[in-house]
Amino acid sequence: MSDLFFWKQWPASYRNIYLTSLAVSTIGLVIYLIWFFTGNDAVIGWQTRSELQSLSLQLNSFSRSLFNFTVETPSYFITEQFVASLAKINTLAVYIYLAFLTGACLLVLSLITELPRLWYILGMGVFILLLASFKFDLLQVFGLRNNTVFIVSVAAYAGLSYYFHAFQTEISFQLRLASFTVLTVVLALLIIFFSRSAYPLITLAGNGIIIPVGISLVFIFMVSHEIEQGFLYLVTQSGGIGGKNSLLHFSLISLIYIINLGLLYARNAGFISWDFFYINPFYLLLISAAIGIWGYKKRNVLFDHIISFYPNGAFLYLALATVSLATIGYFFASGNDSMLEMIEDIIVFSHLAMGVSFFIYVFINFRSPMSQGLLVYKVVYQPRQYPFFIARGVALLIILAFFFRANMYPMYHAFSGYYNVIADTHTLQGEQVLAEQYYKLSIQYSFQNHKANYALASQARLQNDAPTAIFYLKQAQLKNPTAYTYGSLSNVYLEKGLFFDAIFNLQQGVQSFPRSGELYNNLALLYGRSNIADSAYIYHQLADKYVGVNAETSQTNRLAFWIKNNSLINTDSLLESSSASNSVPLQANRLLLSNMHGLKSSDFLKEFLPADSILSEETFAYLFNHVLNAHTPYDSTLANYLLGISKKDGNVAFSENLQFALACYEYYKNDRSKALELVANVSMSSNRAAYFSKIAGLWFLQQQAPKRAGEFFLQAIQAGDSSLAMKTNQAVAFSENGQWLNALASWQPLATSPDPSTRSLAKYMETISGALLSGQEEFVSKALDDRGKSLMVYFSRGVLLPDVALSITNPEYRVQTLVNLAEKCIAIDSVSFAATLLEKARETPNLSQTLQNRLHALDLQLLLATRAYPQVLSKAKSLSLNPEDADRSLLWQAQAFGQTNQPKEASRLYALALKRMPADTAVILEASRFFNTVRKKPDLAYSTLLEATLLNPYNPEIQKAYILQCLDMQLLSYAENAMSILQQIATDADYQSFLPVYEARKSSVEKILFEWK
């Protein structure tokens, strides 16, 4: 154990320094391993590029007779593509490397002052070369562009060193180390605070890389036989596995090791391409370096006359190991594959050459002692026939043979790697032109090196130079490709519109990197874009499997896939698997998927939205989809928030969509008059006027304001929507409003439409329009089939046509027609006939739920008409109703509460009914009557009627009520203005019949006003 923990025998002062140095070297080894496994991830990373996509989502549907209308809106989802970042400089790695290099140099400076003069001079010479390589003049310390700082540094270090070496030889090692540390700290502070370079320390590290690389190569060769020495120790130690057969065992183990190294060399040289387990050369170096801590102690007999192992030799070894591991680790962390390739070659060359030479050395010198089972490992560096330095020399000759056999490529790779380091330094300084030239120099020495090619491609991408970027990225893929090069190249192809090139490139990428979830993700998106759903699904599955820390991005895209390919088997489980995520794109897609399947969304999380309220595509999609969720309760705070952010300058791109979202929010959950006003305003100022006008028209049509709807349908047509559906909408609006001349003119061209469904309905309506214009409804109905008769009864507003309705035999048409006819009868107080029609409708078996719900609504209307108010209130809560009838039931319940002396509840329901049906004639008239007569609030009645006339200025009945309300409130000028409007919107007969009423009421008011005077 004393040999294993040899430092325990040392004095505490040296032991503590050694253990500290050993700990630092161990940390360096750990960092080496971290950067080894990190690789190019330290300088290139995956970023996500979001794309906002939309699909049409049905908000609701309604019908007018046999015409069905669907209100749809674009809803938004996010796809996220992985984009390889531009090449970046790993500044943290440079600082860590520089820290380890500085610590090792301080240790070496302290110990070489105790060496003999010749070796002291050589050691200081190497250190001065290191200082010269730093090129202090480039730092412009104090603005100096000459070698002043270098000369001062050399003088300071050399002077202090020589003082310790020649004059104060008795000073302790600790004091020497502290002195050099103080000097170095002072120099570093001067450089940091007085250099004109933006990154002075990084500039030093980059320029001074040559000496550390040289030290690393020396160290690699120095420890290249340590693994075989370890074998020797295992087979010859006391009680070990060898005994008298130790020579055989050593030979077998060594030959296996050498053969493996030979195969590794052959593979790297391109002689073989076998699928075989090869030892990673960088692992060999780590193992050799670790064993060398004890192996170097055994070699003390070879150089004890120069530097004894205790303590300076041990310190020197740790310093060399630290510099080597830190330097190689820095190359890993900076992605400098040229330099790493050179070092890998040197490791293989050295270990193979020294492995063969050391085996021969042991065989020649110790075959006899090993056959006798002696402890050869103790005297392995005390040969009798074949000196160790000759073994080293033979190994060097073999290494030179390998070097020239490789056409000196390791040297070219070293030059290439050096220029990569210098180019990185200039890149960090913002000197892109110089950086580009050094990267191109690097390519001249190793044209396939990944680092330089990727860096030049990054510069080309910044300059939007796609051809140049493609050239360098292809070159980067030739020898040391990464998933990043494939990802970056496919993105450049896509930017150039080369879709299939992007797919083929990603296919090659997943073949080379079958565990790259990012490449699978991008490939899935491309197949999804080309509508190859099965391939997209497979690649989404593979992305989920391999994407690792970017799992939320993969889940976001998987949800997007199912949104576009709406064929889910189990929506709930898919949504549940992503419920806990805080990813805004993922939650946006979850919301849309919930909306598509009518599911309740998760609670709204305002923390997902930016503090400054400036939306990104992701936050916009999340907010929009949340607002449209059918199960989201109305929240006035959210409504105000939507209105506020829609007016922010930073949200201009989303402004009209936010206002439309607010309109939808109000229309389906709160105040439809606000919604209609919002969508009308958006339609006038949007570049999507056709769409918003269509929505406004549909909503007004649903709210029983057909002429207002027709205005918006016309706007939509004028804005560019000349589709059959829009022309049909306009024709229906004319028909609903009783504008039969316009209706006939609209239906006639549709009757020759190529669409069979549109053509069929248009032919019916063309016939019906002509019949209504000529007053021959009943005569024409005899020639119509059940569908035509149903339409005739519905649109014959002045004639009931009960015989026509009862002649219909188709169950669906018959029930629907009887219900429509019964509602007309109730409107003219023909309640008993309405009840008869209801009974006949119920005779039809197997009614759909929709028709059953219509009959329930008719039940409530009959109960109201027969003044069965308590029954109205009880049945309204128990009967199932269609959505529109559920809104209308608010009016029926309000009337019932008003008639049962419950004004407070009636007021609440009237107010709610006005929000849900702001253009409904019955609601407005009944509510204003209630406010006038029961609540005694004429101002409230007036505002109700005024808002209704502003919302729908084409309703004569509401306009009449408004005129009378103005007269009752002695607003004569308002009444006169309203009369001029009524004259324009009412028929002559209707206007003339109302005129005496107006004049009489006006005279009465004028008389009262006159008496007051």
Side-chain angles (χ1 to χ4, degrees):
M1 293 297 288
S2 61
D3 283 343
L4 185 60
F5 301 105
F6 53 82
W7 54 84
K8 287 186 176 183
Q9 312 301 320
W10 294 2
S13 57
Y14 286 121
R15 183 170 68 246
N16 292 336
I17 295 175
Y18 183 80
L19 289 176
T20 301
S21 302
L22 184 61
V24 170
S25 296
T26 304
I27 293 171
L29 185 147
V30 172
I31 293 174
Y32 170 99
L33 286 172
I34 290 172
W35 283 337
F36 172 77
F37 288 111
T38 302
N40 282 295
D41 294 343
V43 289
I44 312 172
W46 290 112
Q47 301 169 342
T48 54
R49 178 187 295 164
S50 297
E51 181 180 355
L52 185 67
Q53 299 189 39
S54 66
L55 56 72
S56 187
L57 178 69
Q58 180 176 315
L59 290 174
N60 81 311
S61 61
F62 65 95
S63 62
R64 290 290 173 264
S65 183
L66 302 184
F67 296 96
N68 297 314
F69 300 91
T70 300
V71 181
E72 296 181 338
T73 178
S75 282
Y76 299 93
F77 62 98
I78 300 293
T79 57
E80 292 191 302
Q81 181 185 30
F82 284 107
V83 178
S85 70
L86 302 177
K88 60 184 179 182
I89 310 303
N90 190 346
T91 55
L92 175 62
V94 182
Y95 287 126
I96 292 174
Y97 153 73
L98 193 58
F100 279 107
L101 177 64
T102 302
C105 286
L106 291 173
L107 196 62
V108 172
L109 275 173
S110 301
L111 68 88
I112 62 176
T113 59
E114 298 182 358
L115 297 180
R117 182 62 53 87
L118 176 62
W119 295 104
Y120 164 75
I121 292 171
L122 288 175
M124 283 305 299
V126 172
F127 180 73
I128 291 170
L129 283 176
L130 176 63
L131 291 177
S133 69
F134 285 150
K135 299 181 181 178
F136 288 105
D137 56 305
L138 298 179
L139 302 182
Q140 299 181 43
V141 179
F142 300 112
L144 299 173
R145 297 174 179 269
N146 51 34
N147 291 322
T148 301
V149 176
F150 167 67
I151 294 169
V152 171
S153 300
V154 170
Y157 280 108
L160 183 61
S161 173
Y162 190 74
Y163 174 75
F164 291 142
H165 174 74
F167 302 108
Q168 293 294 332
T169 57
E170 74 284 356
I171 291 179
S172 68
F173 186 88
Q174 293 91 327
L175 186 56
R176 297 173 194 230
L177 181 61
S179 301
F180 284 117
T181 301
V182 170
L183 176 59
T184 303
V185 169
V186 171
L187 180 61
L189 291 175
L190 288 173
I191 290 171
I192 291 171
F193 290 107
F194 297 100
S195 170
R196 293 185 180 178
S197 172
Y199 298 91
L201 297 183
I202 292 178
T203 302
L204 285 179
N207 292 328
I209 197 68
I210 296 175
I211 300 300
V213 168
I215 292 172
S216 301
L217 298 182
V218 171
F219 180 77
I220 290 168
F221 179 69
M222 188 173 79
V223 300
S224 57
H225 70 289
E226 294 291 356
I227 292 178
E228 275 197 280
Q229 180 181 287
F231 295 155
L232 183 66
Y233 172 78
L234 289 175
V235 300
T236 64
Q237 65 171 317
S238 178
I241 62 173
K244 294 184 178 181
N245 293 320
S246 58
L247 179 61
L248 175 62
H249 292 162
F250 175 74
S251 300
L252 288 175
I253 296 173
S254 297
L255 286 173
I256 293 171
Y257 169 71
I258 291 169
I259 289 171
N260 195 290
L261 286 173
L263 292 173
L264 178 59
Y265 166 76
R267 186 201 65 174
N268 289 353
F271 299 147
I272 61 173
S273 57
W274 298 348
D275 187 12
F276 186 77
F277 175 76
Y278 302 96
I279 302 173
N280 190 296
F282 294 101
Y283 289 155
L284 288 176
L285 176 60
L286 283 182
I287 297 168
S288 299
I291 297 173
I293 294 174
W294 293 270
Y296 192 70
K297 179 176 180 293
K298 295 185 183 302
R299 292 205 301 277
N300 187 56
V301 296
L302 299 176
F303 49 79
D304 188 56
H305 61 289
I306 300 172
I307 180 172
S308 64
F309 181 77
Y310 163 75
N312 290 337
F315 290 153
L316 178 62
Y317 182 86
L318 289 182
L320 295 177
T322 300
V323 170
S324 301
L325 294 178
T327 303
I328 297 171
Y330 163 60
F331 293 142
F332 280 125
S334 60
N336 197 335
D337 55 317
S338 291
M339 199 66 87
L340 290 172
E341 194 166 342
M342 180 273 293
I343 291 172
E344 179 180 348
D345 285 341
I346 298 302
I347 293 171
V348 175
F349 293 172
S350 299
H351 281 70
L352 179 56
M354 197 62 204
V356 172
S357 184
F358 186 77
F359 176 75
I360 295 170
Y361 166 81
V362 171
F363 187 81
I364 292 174
N365 289 302
F366 303 106
R367 62 183 184 277
S368 179
M370 290 180 71
S371 300
Q372 299 172 31
L374 299 179
L375 304 181
V376 170
Y377 77 93
K378 291 187 175 183
V379 294
V380 69
Y381 295 110
Q382 300 173 37
R384 296 183 180 181
Q385 302 178 47
Y386 185 62
F388 186 72
F389 76 87
I390 293 180
R392 289 283 201 195
V394 170
L396 278 173
L397 291 175
I398 297 173
I399 290 171
L400 284 174
F402 288 150
F403 176 74
F404 288 111
R405 176 64 183 77
N407 294 320
M408 300 190 294
Y409 279 140
M411 181 182 69
Y412 299 141
H413 289 147
F415 288 152
S416 174
Y418 170 73
Y419 287 126
N420 279 337
V421 173
I422 301 303
D424 281 353
T425 303
H426 287 294
T427 299
L428 196 62
Q429 302 277 11
E431 299 165 344
Q432 298 300 331
V433 175
L434 276 174
E436 181 180 354
Q437 296 308 312
Y438 278 111
Y439 282 130
K440 287 181 176 179
L441 275 173
S442 172
I443 288 176
Q444 288 181 14
Y445 285 101
S446 178
F447 79 96
Q448 295 176 337
N449 88 82
H450 179 276
K451 180 175 180 61
N453 280 297
Y454 195 89
L456 289 169
S458 296
Q459 289 188 350
R461 286 169 61 189
L462 284 172
Q463 298 164 6
N464 295 319
D465 185 355
T468 301
I470 290 171
F471 171 79
Y472 284 119
L473 287 170
K474 282 184 174 180
Q475 204 157 264
Q477 290 180 351
L478 294 176
K479 189 172 186 180
N480 298 311
T482 62
Y484 298 116
T485 56
Y486 286 104
S488 186
L489 182 56
S490 68
N491 290 331
V492 177
Y493 278 142
L494 288 175
E495 290 166 5
K496 290 290 291 180
L498 303 172
F499 181 79
F500 291 105
D501 290 304
I503 285 186
F504 296 147
N505 174 69
L506 286 175
Q507 287 174 335
Q508 292 174 356
V510 296
Q511 288 176 3
S512 300
F513 299 94
R515 300 178 69 86
S516 174
E518 292 79 11
L519 296 183
Y520 284 126
N521 176 83
N522 289 3
L523 195 52
L525 291 178
L526 292 187
Y527 275 114
R529 189 183 297 184
S530 58
N531 296 319
I532 307 177
D534 52 350
S535 296
Y537 174 77
I538 292 170
Y539 286 119
H540 275 303
Q541 294 292 100
L542 289 168
D544 282 345
K545 181 177 180 181
Y546 293 117
V547 79
V549 295
N550 296 311
E552 288 180 337
T553 297
S554 180
Q555 289 179 11
T556 298
N557 291 328
R558 183 157 49 92
L559 290 182
F561 169 81
W562 288 119
I563 287 169
K564 291 194 289 186
N565 300 274
N566 187 18
S567 56
L568 288 179
I569 298 173
N570 191 341
T571 312
D572 290 335
S573 63
L574 184 62
L575 294 174
E576 181 63 29
S577 66
S578 55
S579 60
S581 171
N582 288 326
S583 166
V584 176
L586 179 57
Q587 293 302 327
N589 288 1
R590 287 186 76 254
L591 280 167
L592 178 51
L593 203 56
S594 298
N595 294 349
M596 292 171 65
H597 293 272
L599 301 175
K600 186 180 185 303
S601 69
S602 55
D603 293 335
F604 180 64
L605 296 176
K606 194 170 182 180
E607 56 266 29
F608 282 0
L609 303 180
D612 59 2
S613 299
I614 304 303
L615 301 180
S616 62
E617 290 183 339
E618 297 91 337
T619 50
F620 162 72
Y622 173 77
L623 183 59
F624 190 92
N625 292 340
H626 175 79
V627 167
L628 262 59
N629 185 266
H631 299 279
T632 302
Y634 182 78
D635 181 353
S636 59
T637 304
L638 179 58
N640 292 332
Y641 177 78
L642 275 171
L643 183 61
I645 63 173
S646 69
K647 296 178 180 179
K648 284 187 173 289
D649 293 339
N651 291 328
V652 171
F654 307 117
S655 179
E656 63 185 35
N657 279 317
L658 290 170
Q659 293 180 59
F660 177 63
L662 178 57
C664 292
Y665 195 48
E666 293 286 354
Y667 189 86
Y668 293 107
K669 293 169 185 177
N670 185 42
D671 190 341
R672 287 180 171 169
S673 62
K674 286 184 181 178
L676 291 167
E677 182 181 355
L678 280 166
V679 76
N681 291 337
V682 174
S683 70
M684 290 188 290
S685 59
S686 170
N687 55 7
R688 295 164 59 204
Y691 169 72
F692 292 122
S693 296
K694 179 183 76 172
I695 297 298
L698 290 171
W699 281 353
F700 272 108
L701 187 62
Q702 187 177 18
Q703 292 300 309
Q704 311 290 346
K707 189 168 184 180
R708 192 85 165 103
E711 277 189 339
F712 284 103
F713 291 144
L714 179 60
Q715 284 182 24
I717 292 171
Q718 291 173 343
D721 185 354
S722 56
S723 63
L724 283 176
M726 186 54 63
K727 292 177 179 178
T728 302
N729 290 345
Q730 188 183 39
V732 171
F734 285 140
S735 302
E736 284 281 339
N737 200 48
Q739 297 172 267
W740 292 112
L741 278 174
N742 292 335
L744 182 60
S746 298
W747 286 117
Q748 282 176 339
L750 293 173
T752 58
S753 164
D755 178 63
S757 176
T758 303
R759 185 171 63 247
S760 174
L761 274 173
K763 286 182 177 179
Y764 283 120
M765 291 307 299
E766 183 182 14
T767 302
I768 291 167
S769 300
L772 292 171
L773 282 170
S774 62
Q776 299 181 1
E777 297 95 326
E778 193 162 357
F779 175 77
V780 171
S781 296
K782 294 177 182 179
L784 294 174
D785 59 12
D786 287 350
R787 192 181 189 191
K789 291 175 181 178
S790 180
L791 288 168
M792 181 68 82
V793 172
Y794 176 79
F795 284 108
S796 300
R797 305 291 165 80
V799 183
L800 293 181
L801 301 177
D803 293 337
V804 176
L806 293 170
S807 68
I808 297 174
T809 58
N810 180 281
E812 182 179 349
Y813 294 150
R814 179 181 174 85
V815 173
Q816 190 167 334
T817 305
L818 292 175
V819 170
N820 289 334
L821 187 58
E823 288 184 328
K824 289 182 182 180
C825 291
I826 292 173
I828 61 174
D829 293 329
S830 182
V831 178
S832 59
F833 188 52
T836 301
L837 293 172
L838 177 59
E839 292 303 319
K840 289 187 176 296
R842 282 209 164 92
E843 293 172 0
T844 305
N846 302 321
L847 293 177
S848 67
Q849 187 61 52
T850 300
L851 288 176
Q852 290 183 47
N853 291 346
R854 290 288 289 125
L855 296 179
H856 293 160
L858 194 55
D859 282 332
L860 289 176
Q861 293 177 73
L862 284 170
L863 289 171
L864 186 67
T866 57
R867 297 180 173 80
Y869 302 123
Q871 291 175 277
V872 172
L873 296 175
S874 62
K875 285 187 174 291
K877 296 177 181 179
S878 60
L879 293 176
S880 60
L881 301 172
N882 294 328
E884 284 190 68
D885 288 328
D887 288 339
R888 294 170 66 200
S889 76
L890 297 172
L891 170 63
W892 305 331
Q893 293 176 73
Q895 290 175 289
F897 277 118
Q899 294 296 330
T900 55
N901 296 318
Q902 300 181 66
K904 187 174 181 180
E905 192 62 23
S907 293
R908 184 185 68 81
L909 289 171
Y910 273 124
L912 189 55
L914 285 169
K915 285 186 174 183
R916 304 305 297 155
M917 297 176 288
D920 187 276
T921 304
V923 170
I924 294 162
L925 296 180
E926 285 297 325
S928 62
R929 181 198 60 76
F930 175 81
F931 295 147
N932 274 320
T933 60
V934 178
R935 296 296 305 278
K936 307 300 182 183
K937 291 185 176 181
D939 289 345
L940 183 56
Y942 173 81
S943 63
T944 299
L945 291 166
L946 176 62
E947 289 173 6
T949 58
L950 294 175
L951 185 67
N952 179 21
Y954 302 114
N955 189 318
E957 297 306 315
I958 296 175
Q959 194 72 23
K960 291 175 189 176
Y962 173 70
I963 292 168
L964 296 177
Q965 186 71 30
C966 289
L967 292 173
D968 288 344
M969 297 178 68
Q970 301 176 358
L971 302 173
L972 297 182
S973 61
Y974 288 5
E976 288 177 6
N977 291 334
M979 277 298 290
S980 63
I981 295 173
L982 179 65
Q983 189 172 15
Q984 298 173 21
I985 64 174
T987 63
D988 288 340
D990 191 21
Y991 179 77
Q992 291 301 324
S993 67
F994 179 72
L995 190 58
V997 177
Y998 167 74
E999 293 293 349
R1001 187 75 64 89
K1002 179 183 177 184
S1003 298
S1004 176
V1005 172
E1006 288 175 341
K1007 182 178 179 181
I1008 293 171
L1009 292 174
F1010 179 77
E1011 290 175 353
W1012 282 356
K1013 292 180 181 180

